[in-house]
């Protein structure tokens, strides 16, 4: 047989790949491969053949080795309660051209896996231990040879972590705490939901190992996100949340702050400092989360990135840990969105450790009905991240897997996935009956020992510990829990431990009346003009396209003319905050240029595409301006930015939708975090959402930012909703976000056509000496002549103003409502009193009657007689016909002025 026949033999493509690497440089391949390829050259020179006798079998053994590397994970002992699905072809040696008679033949191929020249039987035994035991690893699809080589070296050539007697006792102790805690809750709080960890208790020693080994590797912080399953156990045994606090939450007591609604106990967040046995300090944070599985995933990444940008600066010092359920990681699309962020400049955090608590079931849905992929973790292949599947009943294997994963993350700064296969002892919650839907599985589970008992049996057989010793430890721990339960019963009210306390130490909570107080958002005029000129003067040594140069020249001219457009008002808000040393984080689709080409926060050098960001060239001491065009995601990106703002209240964090109604792709973040987090978890957030909104005939998907939905969510001063109509007002509302002593989410419906509207301008004094105006009165109206008062908001004001000026309607006052929530009641009532000769008050809106602000105003201003004039109610926000739009909007405007003149 000639050389080419070998290279086209079993798995020949792999052999060919290695041969090509050998030809370039023999050092590119392992010692075993070098010996084989050197054999070719020796045979060619000394014999009339290409291949020495026996080499055909050597290559078949190499193909077998590669088979284990690529497919061994399919034949592991990783499922504690089910027989694994059968895959073919198997790893039987006959499938690789080998026979039973070859088992005792010595093969040089053993050098490839670190066992030296040895029998095929020994090579297979080694491969079985490495690839087909309690850990199955997927990694051969990775495209970087150095990563594959590192994994091979650490699993084939080196031993995974070996435990001494002391470490084994400690591991048993961790398992015991996890088991006894769940059993205690089961006895004392019968029938109450706790979403127990039973069946996957190995998660507790796994997290403990990550934190302790991580501290040895220089990690200072871990940010965790997880759903409800096992959360109480993690809070108690990893975060050291006091047992009495957890027990008190089971009692369902009212909170100390009666204005605070709170949340169920398995949704709450927590932050704390822990000290390892080596006296290393580690800060750990568990983000609060809603019942919506995986919603916390992007939030955790945002928190991590915020801390990196703010003070850690080194990806080696902070690690996010995301704990998934098997059904959720496979089924929730936000996981894919977040995984796609992993290596993007605007979102990378240096790699995430993903741990799947694999119950092999989703509520009542079998895993075969929950995904089309082989594994629930197949999303890992998107970023070519390794996956370790591990049997949750093998505690030592679980620790080995997480340590290997952590070391990989620290070395390569990439995501890594650990799939801990266990089971769920009870139903979805403890009051559910799982045998309705999985009778056979739960028959097996009912007879299956827990991981602690399995590990105890192993240690007893190894003469490391006796059952009596463990019984004493268990009794002592159970007694401790009982004492803490007795203490919990003495607690009168529940309380929420402050979350991210270190980051929020100088921020107060908003008290009644605080929002109404006037906040100084002015800025020195001389400095403002200097800033305006500086950020609009492009460097002379760089050549930009002519349009960009003209645009920036026009901005300089705006300063000279004292007529600042929207982009100038916006950019100067950022510049002044940066000058005051506040960092700014801004992301969304196309935000660098702006969807409507108005912002140009990042400009490109014409010949090289080098990026220049004017706002980062203000001074040496300024805050940093981070702006990123996001991936095409709303859910994941808004969640990320919410997490970013959560971890840094002193930064202005902004997410802009490409068009306003695209926010509904992130509705879960809006409903569960943005609007409700302060009431549920007592946490504040100053995230700004910019939603382009306005009816200009662009169709149903490009007109409305869905104002009505946000206003429906408003209560208890939980957020600010505004629709600004001047550059100055937008300038001041952005600055107000960081001038307040508290933080509230800000939702601004931003304009499109107003970006270049000749009347939508402000003066430098408006910015430098002005303030945010919740209501803008009609400056041209004469009180004595006004018999019709028209309230409106945003861009529609300019449409009405055009009509008013065209017909010289002096009897109408057009008053702009700039802040829609909280409503400025006092200012509205002062306006109504001012125009005391008014016969009619109208709310005018360009949205259909069932949308926009009308329902909100009707509910809150019921004491004022107001008539609405708008488009007729509609299922779609706007017509798709530009001509129909003109007809309809003209009719609404004419109706407003006709009614006014009739009155």
């Amino acid at each position: 047989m000639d050389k080419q026949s070998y290279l086209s033999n079993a798995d020949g493509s792999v052999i060919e790949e290695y041969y090509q690497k050998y030809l370039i440089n023999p050092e590119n391949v392992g010692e075993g491969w070098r010996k084989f390829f050197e054999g070719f050259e020796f045979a060619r020179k000394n014999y009339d053949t290409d291949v020495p006798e026996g080499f055909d079998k050597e290559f078949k053994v190499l193909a077998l080795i590669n088979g284990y590397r690529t497919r061994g994970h399919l034949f592991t002992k990783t499922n504690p309660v089910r027989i694994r699905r059968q895959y073919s072809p198997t790893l039987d040696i006959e499938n690789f051209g080998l026979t039973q008679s070859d088992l005792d033949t010595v093969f040089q191929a053993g050098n490839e896996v670190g066992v030296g020249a040895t029998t095929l039987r020994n090579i297979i035994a080694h491969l079985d231990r490495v690839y087909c035991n309690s850990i199955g690893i997927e990694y051969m699809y990775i495209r970087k040879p150095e990563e594959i080589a590192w994994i091979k070296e650490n699993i084939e050539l080196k031993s995974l972590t070996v435990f001494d007697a002391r470490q084994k006792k400690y591991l048993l102790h961790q398992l015991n705490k996890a088991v006894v805690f769940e059993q205690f809750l089961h006895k004392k709080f019968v029938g109450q939901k706790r979403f127990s960890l039973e069946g996957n208790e190995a998660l507790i020693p796994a997290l403990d190992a990550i934190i302790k080994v991580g501290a040895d590797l220089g990690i200072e912080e871990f940010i965790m996100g997880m759903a409800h399953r096992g959360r109480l156990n993690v809070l108690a045994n990893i975060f050291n949340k006091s047992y009495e606090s957890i027990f008190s939450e089971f009692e369902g007591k009212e909170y100390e702050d009666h204005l605070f609604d709170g949340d169920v106990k398995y949704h709450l967040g927590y932050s704390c400092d822990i000290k390892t046995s080596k006296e290393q300090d580690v800060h750990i944070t568990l983000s609060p989360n809603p019942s919506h599985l995986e919603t916390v995933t992007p939030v955790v990444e945002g928190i991590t990135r915020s801390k990196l940008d703010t003070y850690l600066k080194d990806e080696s010092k902070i690690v996010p840990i995301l704990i998934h359920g098997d059904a959720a990681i496979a089924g929730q699309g936000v996981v894919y969105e977040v995984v796609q962020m992993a290596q993007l400049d605007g979102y990378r955090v240096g790699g995430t450790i993903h741990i799947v608590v694999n119950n092999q079931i989703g509520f009542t849905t079998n895993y075969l009905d929950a995904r089309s992929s082989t594994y629930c973790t197949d999303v890992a292949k998107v970023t070519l991240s390794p996956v370790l599947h591990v049997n949750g009943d093998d505690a030592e294997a679980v620790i080995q897997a997480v340590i290997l994963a952590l070391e990989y993350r620290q070395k390569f700064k990439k995501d890594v996935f650990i799939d801990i296969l266990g089971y769920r002892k009870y139903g979805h919650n403890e009051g559910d009956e799982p045998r309705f839907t999985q009778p056979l599985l739960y028959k097996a589970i009912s007879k299956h020992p827990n991981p602690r008992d399995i590990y105890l049996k192993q240690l007893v057989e190894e003469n490391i510990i006796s059952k009596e010793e463990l019984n004493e430890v268990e009794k002592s721990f159970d007694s401790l829990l009982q004492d803490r339960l007795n203490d919990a019963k003495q607690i009168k009210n529940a309380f929420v431990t402050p979350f991210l306390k270190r980051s929020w130490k100088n921020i107060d909570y908003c008290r009644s009346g605080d929002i109404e107080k006037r906040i100084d958002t002015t800025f020195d005029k001389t400095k403002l003009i200097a800033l305006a000129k500086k950020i609009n003067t492009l460097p002379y040594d760089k050549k930009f396209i002519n349009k960009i140069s003209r645009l920036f020249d026009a901005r300089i001219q705006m300063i000279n003319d004292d007529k600042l457009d929207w982009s100038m008002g916006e950019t100067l808000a950022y510049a002044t905050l940066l000058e005051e040393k506040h960092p700014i984080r801004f992301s969304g689709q196309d935000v660098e240029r702006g969807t409507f080409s108005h912002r140009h926060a990042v400009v490109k050098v014409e010949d090289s595409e080098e990026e220049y960001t004017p706002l980062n060239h203000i001074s040496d001491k300024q805050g940093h301006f981070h702006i990123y065009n996001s991936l095409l995601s709303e859910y994941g990106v808004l969640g990320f930015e919410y997490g970013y703002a959560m971890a840094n209240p002193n930064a202005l964090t902004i997410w802009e939708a490409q068009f306003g109604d695209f926010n509904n792709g992130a509705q879960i973040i809006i409903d569960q975090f943005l609007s409700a987090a302060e009431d549920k978890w007592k946490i504040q957030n100053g995230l700004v959402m910019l939603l382009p909104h306005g009816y200009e005939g662009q169709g149903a998907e490009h007109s409305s930012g869905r104002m009505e939905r946000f206003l429906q969510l408003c209560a208890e001063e939980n957020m600010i909703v505004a629709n600004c109509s001047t550059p100055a007002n937008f300038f001041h509302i952005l600055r107000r976000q960081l001038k307040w002593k508290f933080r509230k989410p800000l939702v601004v419906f931003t304009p499109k056509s107003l970006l270049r509207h000749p009347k939508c301008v402000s003066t430098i004094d408006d910015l430098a000496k002005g303030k945010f105006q919740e209501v803008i009165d009609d400056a041209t109206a004469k009180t004595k002549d006004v018999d019709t008062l028209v309230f409106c908001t945003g861009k529609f004001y300019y449409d009405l103003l055009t009509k008013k000026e065209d017909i010289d309607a002096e009897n109408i006052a057009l008053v702009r409502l700039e802040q829609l929530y909280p409503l400025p009641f006092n200012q509205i009532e002062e306006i109504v009193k001012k125009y005391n000769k008014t016969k009619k008050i109208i709310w005018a809106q360009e949205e259909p009657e069932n949308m926009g602000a009308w329902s909100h105003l009707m509910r809150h201003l019921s004491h004022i007689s107001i008539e609405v004039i708008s488009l007729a109610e509609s299922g779609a926000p706007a017509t798709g016909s530009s001509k129909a739009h003109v007809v309809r909007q003209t009719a609404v405007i004419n109706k407003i002025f006709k009614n006014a003149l009739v009155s």
Side-chain angles (χ1 to χ4, degrees):
M1 188 182 291
D2 63 16
K3 180 188 72 175
Q4 193 56 42
S5 299
Y6 284 107
L7 298 183
S8 61
N9 203 0
D11 229 328
S13 61
V14 174
I15 298 171
E16 175 66 33
E17 178 187 344
Y18 274 78
Y19 186 62
Q20 293 301 324
K21 291 179 181 177
Y22 169 80
L23 291 176
I24 295 169
N25 183 351
E27 295 301 318
N28 287 342
V29 298
E31 181 183 356
W33 286 105
R34 285 199 299 275
K35 287 179 184 280
F36 301 140
F37 294 134
E38 286 165 3
F40 283 135
E41 307 305 326
F42 179 80
R44 187 177 289 116
K45 291 176 182 176
N46 296 282
Y47 303 96
D48 189 22
T49 179
D50 275 345
V51 182
E53 185 179 353
F55 258 55
D56 60 332
K57 290 291 180 75
E58 290 282 4
F59 276 102
K60 288 174 181 176
V61 175
L62 282 174
L64 174 65
I65 291 170
N66 194 62
Y68 269 89
R69 287 168 173 168
T70 56
R71 301 183 70 248
H73 58 85
L74 297 171
F75 308 101
T76 55
K77 301 166 187 172
T78 49
N79 200 315
V81 290
R82 275 183 167 135
I83 296 172
R84 288 209 62 178
R85 285 182 282 183
Q86 301 301 302
Y87 297 95
S88 61
T90 66
L91 295 174
D92 293 342
I93 59 175
E94 289 78 8
N95 290 325
F96 295 86
L98 298 163
T99 67
Q100 296 296 312
S101 63
D102 296 317
L103 285 172
D104 293 313
T105 301
V106 173
F107 288 96
Q108 293 294 323
N111 288 298
E112 174 65 15
V113 290
V115 293
T118 187
T119 64
L120 177 59
R121 191 184 306 277
N122 289 339
I123 293 171
I124 291 172
H126 177 68
L127 292 171
D128 277 334
R129 277 195 304 273
V130 171
Y131 289 107
C132 297
N133 206 343
S134 290
I135 299 175
I137 181 167
E138 298 179 87
Y139 71 100
M140 288 297 288
Y141 47 74
I142 295 173
R143 294 174 191 155
K144 292 187 176 179
E146 63 272 22
E147 291 183 33
I148 291 178
W150 185 90
I151 293 172
K152 283 180 184 176
E153 180 181 356
N154 279 275
I155 62 175
E156 291 180 354
L157 307 183
K158 297 178 181 177
S159 296
L160 293 174
T161 305
V162 177
F163 303 90
D164 59 28
R166 180 186 61 81
Q167 291 168 326
K168 290 185 177 188
K169 283 186 176 182
Y170 179 76
L171 175 50
L172 180 64
H173 174 65
Q174 292 296 105
L175 281 171
N176 185 61
K177 287 201 301 182
V179 169
V180 174
F181 178 76
E182 295 291 359
Q183 291 175 345
F184 185 85
L185 293 179
H186 195 66
K187 287 185 299 182
K188 300 298 181 179
F189 301 100
V190 178
Q192 282 209 45
K193 291 182 183 180
R194 56 188 167 91
F195 298 99
S196 95
L197 188 58
E198 287 164 282
N200 242 314
E201 292 95 334
L203 176 67
I204 298 304
L207 291 175
D208 181 76
I210 289 173
I211 292 169
K212 289 182 168 58
V213 174
D216 289 341
L217 296 175
I219 298 169
E220 297 174 7
E221 289 200 41
F222 289 94
I223 312 296
M224 296 189 204
M226 68 182 298
H228 42 276
R229 177 76 52 207
R231 189 181 186 93
L232 297 179
N233 210 316
V234 169
L235 282 167
N237 291 317
I238 298 299
F239 283 81
N240 299 323
K241 183 173 181 178
S242 70
Y243 295 119
E244 55 266 37
S245 294
I246 294 173
F247 298 154
S248 181
E249 289 161 4
F250 271 95
E251 300 286 342
K253 296 170 182 175
E254 288 189 1
Y255 288 91
E256 288 178 329
D257 184 349
H258 295 294
L259 298 176
F260 164 64
D261 280 342
D263 199 358
V264 291
K265 52 193 169 292
Y266 38 79
H267 287 172
L268 302 177
Y270 203 78
S271 295
C272 68
D273 293 299
I274 62 172
K275 194 174 284 291
T276 70
S277 56
K278 296 181 180 179
E279 297 297 306
Q280 296 152 318
D281 293 314
V282 182
H283 189 70
I284 56 176
T285 295
L286 179 65
S287 174
N289 68 282
S291 285
H292 295 65
L293 299 175
E294 301 295 347
T295 299
V296 76
T297 298
V299 175
V300 164
E301 303 290 1
I303 293 172
T304 306
R305 178 58 180 260
S306 185
K307 287 173 173 278
L308 273 168
D309 286 348
T310 305
Y311 61 92
L312 285 171
K313 308 299 182 184
D314 181 351
E315 292 175 346
S316 297
K317 293 183 177 180
I318 185 168
V319 175
I321 302 173
L322 289 169
I323 302 171
H324 310 270
D326 51 305
I329 193 173
Q332 291 294 310
V334 70
V335 176
Y336 180 88
E337 293 182 35
V338 172
V339 166
Q340 280 286 23
M341 293 177 177
Q343 296 300 320
L344 301 181
D345 287 344
Y347 304 92
R348 61 168 291 124
V349 293
T352 298
I353 295 178
H354 299 265
I355 300 176
V356 180
V357 177
N358 193 335
N359 299 310
Q360 308 183 61
I361 190 170
F363 205 142
T364 66
T365 303
N366 281 317
Y367 71 97
L368 292 172
D369 298 319
R371 63 179 185 268
S372 296
S373 58
T374 302
Y375 295 113
C376 64
T377 52
D378 279 350
V379 70
K381 296 178 176 66
V382 171
T383 49
L384 306 176
S385 300
V387 182
L388 294 100
H389 306 278
V390 57
N391 190 322
D393 274 356
D394 188 338
E396 291 185 9
V398 171
I399 304 305
Q400 290 170 335
V402 298
I403 290 174
L404 180 67
L406 181 64
E407 291 173 342
Y408 173 88
R409 188 272 179 190
Q410 287 298 89
K411 182 168 183 64
F412 296 106
K413 301 299 182 292
K414 282 182 60 179
D415 285 14
V416 60
F417 291 71
I418 306 117
D419 177 19
I420 305 177
L421 283 98
Y423 53 90
R424 190 186 67 196
K425 184 171 182 179
Y426 303 105
H428 175 66
N429 61 64
E430 287 64 36
D432 200 28
E433 176 50 84
R435 289 175 296 179
F436 286 149
T437 50
Q438 282 82 24
L440 288 177
L441 174 63
Y442 274 85
K443 189 174 183 179
I445 288 173
S446 67
K447 300 174 183 177
H448 193 77
N450 64 52
R452 180 202 61 182
D453 291 346
I454 291 171
Y455 194 50
L456 172 62
K457 183 174 182 293
Q458 175 188 327
L459 297 195
V460 168
E461 290 172 353
E462 293 175 2
N463 293 317
I464 288 174
I465 196 171
S466 67
K467 287 184 179 179
E468 291 72 24
E469 286 179 79
L470 184 68
N471 287 340
E472 286 302 313
V473 172
E474 184 174 342
K475 285 179 183 177
S476 174
F477 187 48
D478 192 79
S479 176
L480 169 68
L481 294 177
Q482 183 61 53
D483 289 342
R484 297 292 82 80
L485 176 60
N486 294 337
D487 292 342
K489 290 179 178 179
Q490 307 305 312
I491 298 174
K492 187 175 179 181
N493 294 112
F495 64 94
V496 173
T497 305
F499 171 72
L500 291 173
K501 187 176 180 179
R502 296 195 308 191
S503 300
W504 288 79
K505 61 184 177 182
N506 296 318
I507 306 295
D508 296 329
Y509 282 100
C510 178
R511 295 173 179 82
S512 179
D514 282 355
I515 291 178
E516 296 176 24
K517 293 176 182 175
R518 183 61 58 200
I519 296 296
D520 182 7
T521 54
T522 61
F523 193 84
D524 181 83
K525 183 176 179 178
T526 303
K527 291 181 179 178
L528 185 67
I529 293 171
L531 274 178
K533 291 180 177 178
K534 189 160 194 175
I535 63 174
N536 288 298
T537 301
L538 296 174
Y540 298 111
D541 60 341
K542 300 180 189 296
K543 187 178 185 304
F544 302 91
I545 66 170
N546 290 334
K547 281 187 177 181
I548 284 293
S549 297
R550 289 198 300 269
L551 185 146
F552 276 76
D553 289 343
R555 289 181 177 178
I556 295 290
Q557 190 59 45
M558 286 181 203
I559 303 166
N560 298 332
D561 294 343
D562 201 13
K563 288 184 178 180
L564 308 182
D565 70 0
W566 192 273
S567 65
M568 282 291 282
E570 176 186 354
T571 307
L572 285 171
Y574 305 146
T576 55
L577 289 170
L578 293 167
E579 177 69 8
E580 293 167 342
K581 299 183 175 57
H582 291 288
I584 296 174
R585 158 94 185 184
F586 195 158
S587 87
Q589 293 155 28
D590 311 299
V591 298
E592 294 180 6
R593 189 202 74 173
T595 300
F596 312 104
S597 198
H598 81 287
R599 184 172 294 118
H600 296 284
V602 178
V603 290
K604 302 285 183 76
V605 174
E606 184 174 6
D607 296 328
S608 66
E609 293 199 358
E610 175 194 346
E611 293 186 346
Y612 179 76
T613 305
L615 285 167
N616 276 327
H617 295 271
I618 294 171
S619 72
D620 294 336
K621 297 180 180 179
Q622 70 167 90
H624 194 80
F625 183 67
H626 307 270
I627 186 166
Y628 303 99
N629 287 338
S630 75
L631 66 164
L632 197 64
S633 152
E634 287 83 31
Y635 188 176
V637 173
L638 184 61
F640 188 100
E641 303 310 336
Y642 185 91
Y644 195 98
M646 184 188 286
N648 188 358
N650 295 308
L652 184 69
T653 307
I654 306 170
W655 176 76
E656 181 177 62
Q658 191 177 63
F659 285 90
D661 59 341
F662 290 0
N663 77 78
N664 59 17
Q667 196 65 51
I668 294 174
I669 297 293
I670 294 164
D671 289 347
Q672 307 306 321
F673 280 92
L674 192 87
S675 66
E678 187 168 359
D679 199 30
K680 291 191 296 185
W681 307 316
K682 210 171 182 177
I683 60 173
Q684 301 184 74
N685 198 292
L687 178 66
V688 179
M689 290 180 66
L690 303 182
L691 307 178
H693 174 95
Y695 282 58
E696 287 119 353
Q698 291 186 300
E701 275 72 57
H702 296 126
S703 298
S704 173
R706 293 293 190 172
M707 184 184 293
E708 63 282 351
R709 293 183 177 172
F710 287 91
L711 293 173
Q712 186 185 41
L713 292 170
C714 291
E716 302 174 308
E717 298 185 339
N718 60 334
M719 66 174 92
I720 312 297
V721 178
N723 190 11
C724 299
S725 64
T726 72
N729 233 19
F730 191 46
F731 171 90
H732 289 292
I733 201 170
L734 289 174
R735 284 181 53 76
R736 189 177 70 169
Q737 276 297 96
L738 295 185
K739 296 302 176 182
W740 270 332
K741 297 297 184 184
F742 53 87
R743 295 291 178 264
K744 295 285 181 182
L746 170 63
V747 179
V748 184
F749 295 95
T750 52
K752 294 171 288 178
S753 61
L754 293 193
L755 296 174
R756 296 170 180 84
H757 196 292
K759 290 191 175 181
C760 186
V761 293
S762 299
T763 66
I764 294 170
D765 277 347
D766 290 337
L767 276 62
K769 301 176 182 179
K771 62 184 179 182
F772 176 68
Q773 300 178 77
E774 292 85 357
V775 178
I776 300 179
D777 197 359
D778 190 331
T780 64
K782 297 176 181 178
T783 306
K784 63 181 178 61
D785 295 333
V786 173
D787 60 14
T788 302
L789 176 57
V790 178
F791 284 101
C792 60
T793 187
K795 163 255 176 190
F796 197 41
Y797 162 76
Y798 292 93
D799 299 332
L800 298 177
L801 179 62
T802 299
K803 180 71 173 180
K804 179 184 176 181
E805 291 176 345
D806 284 348
I807 65 173
D808 196 21
E810 294 183 356
N811 64 317
I812 294 178
L814 298 178
V815 178
R816 286 169 273 179
L817 196 52
E818 302 276 295
Q819 181 171 292
L820 295 164
Y821 187 83
L823 277 171
F825 291 107
N826 293 336
Q827 295 180 54
I828 292 171
E829 288 176 2
E830 285 173 11
I831 291 287
V832 172
K833 287 178 183 177
K834 173 183 174 181
Y835 297 102
N836 54 13
K837 293 183 179 180
T838 296
K839 297 177 182 178
K840 182 174 288 188
I841 302 176
I842 295 172
W843 171 255
Q845 66 177 40
E846 56 185 345
E847 302 87 358
E849 185 177 337
N850 58 316
M851 300 178 191
W854 170 236
S855 298
H856 170 69
L857 296 173
M858 185 169 55
R859 186 160 61 90
H860 288 284
L861 299 178
S862 57
H863 60 291
I864 300 174
S865 178
I866 304 179
E867 174 188 349
V868 63
I869 298 180
S870 67
L871 292 174
E873 63 179 22
S874 172
T879 176
S881 163
S882 58
K883 290 183 179 179
H885 159 73
V886 172
V887 170
R888 293 178 186 182
Q889 187 153 34
T890 300
V892 170
I893 293 171
N894 287 341
K895 185 177 179 181
I896 292 167
F897 284 90
K898 181 181 178 182
N899 279 24
L901 293 171
V902 170
S903 69

